[in-house]
Amino acid sequence: MTILKILEFPDPKLRITASPIDTFNDELQETIDDMFETMYAAPGIGLAATQVDIHKRLLVTDISAEKNQPYVMINPEVTKNEGNINSNEGCLSIPGYQDDVARYETISIKYLDRHGVSHEEELNGLLAICVQHEIDHLNGKLFIDYLSEAKRQKIRKLIQKQEKYSTNTESAG
Ligand code: GNR
Ligand code: NI
């Protein structure tokens, strides 16, 4: 297994719309395992393929503390939504920044699992929020797109500063 490199805002590759998956081969199984390893190592509760520069409609999530509730969702589609909730979100592609965004409280989701078997489930709570955040990634959208341009500008500067800092510490050993 391999820990994959996570793209960071404002990388334009995060804006690519992912394509549907129609082949459930060994390469896909390896990608899924690598994505779980990358997500758990980060650590994060979700990861979209887009974030690791794979532009296919695939996401993984696990909101449990014990890492024992893994979900793989391929070609996910929200078929129903209900209610609204404020969600304080972070993103592995926007390190060091959190903010509130509006999400649906409950969603019905139709998706294929890693073997290509179709499922339809109603989700709520953090899992529903996380899946909405990941589907946005597959559509080239980030949670900061719901915020003001002024806030996004601040986040660009924050990330630039973080990059400078990590470059300096690397060269200093
Ligand atoms: O680890 C993550 N935590 C999180 C918290 C609130 C709402 C969404 C998320 S997803 C995020 C991991 C990530 O960036 N997935 O794309
Ligand atoms: Ni994210």
Side-chain angles (χ1 to χ4, degrees), residues 72-84:
V72 177
M73 295 184 183
I74 293 169
N75 303 342
E77 277 177 52
V78 175
T79 55
K80 235 171 81 183
N81 63 66
E82 215 182 320
N84 293 96

Side-chain angles (χ1 to χ4, degrees), residues 7 11-19 48-51 53-57 134-142:
L7 301 176
D11 195 317
K13 287 176 175 165
L14 286 169
R15 299 310 189 174
I16 298 171
T17 301
S19 309
T50 307
Q51 291 177 279
D53 207 13
I54 297 171
H55 302 284
K56 296 189 181 155
R57 303 193 77 80
E134 305 313 337
I135 291 175
D136 273 354
H137 276 302
L138 300 181
N139 293 328
K141 196 170 176 80
L142 301 170

Side-chain angles (χ1 to χ4, degrees), residues 9 15 40 46:
F9 175 79
R15 299 310 189 174
Y40 287 133

Side-chain angles (χ1 to χ4, degrees), residues 44-46 51 88-92 129 133-134 137:
I45 58 167
Q51 291 177 279
N88 188 259
E89 302 198 2
C91 180
L92 295 172
I129 287 168
H133 176 116
E134 305 313 337
H137 276 302

Side-chain angles (χ1 to χ4, degrees), residues 25-142:
N25 56 12
D26 288 354
E27 189 190 340
L28 177 68
Q29 307 309 316
E30 249 176 68
T31 299
I32 291 166
D33 291 340
D34 289 347
M35 283 178 61
F36 272 116
E37 196 183 17
T38 305
M39 178 188 78
Y40 287 133
I45 58 167
L47 189 69
T50 307
Q51 291 177 279
V52 291
D53 207 13
I54 297 171
H55 302 284
K56 296 189 181 155
R57 303 193 77 80
L58 160 65
L59 67 87
V60 299
T61 117
D62 188 342
I63 60 158
S64 74
E66 302 82 10
K67 305 182 178 180
N68 61 0
Q69 286 168 42
Y71 272 86
V72 177
M73 295 184 183
I74 293 169
N75 303 342
E77 277 177 52
V78 175
T79 55
K80 235 171 81 183
N81 63 66
E82 215 182 320
N84 293 96
I85 192 163
N86 228 41
S87 156
N88 188 259
E89 302 198 2
C91 180
L92 295 172
S93 296
I94 312 166
Y97 188 79
Q98 292 188 348
D99 215 327
D100 288 349
V101 297
R103 296 291 186 190
Y104 298 117
E105 190 169 19
T106 306
I107 58 171
S108 292
I109 185 106
K110 197 174 170 188
Y111 65 93
L112 304 177
D113 66 21
R114 64 192 296 159
H115 308 297
V117 177
S118 181
H119 298 260
E120 191 159 6
E121 287 166 22
E122 192 174 279
L123 307 180
N124 48 50
L126 185 56
L127 186 55
I129 287 168
C130 188
V131 168
Q132 290 171 73
H133 176 116
E134 305 313 337
I135 291 175
D136 273 354
H137 276 302
L138 300 181
N139 293 328
K141 196 170 176 80
L142 301 170

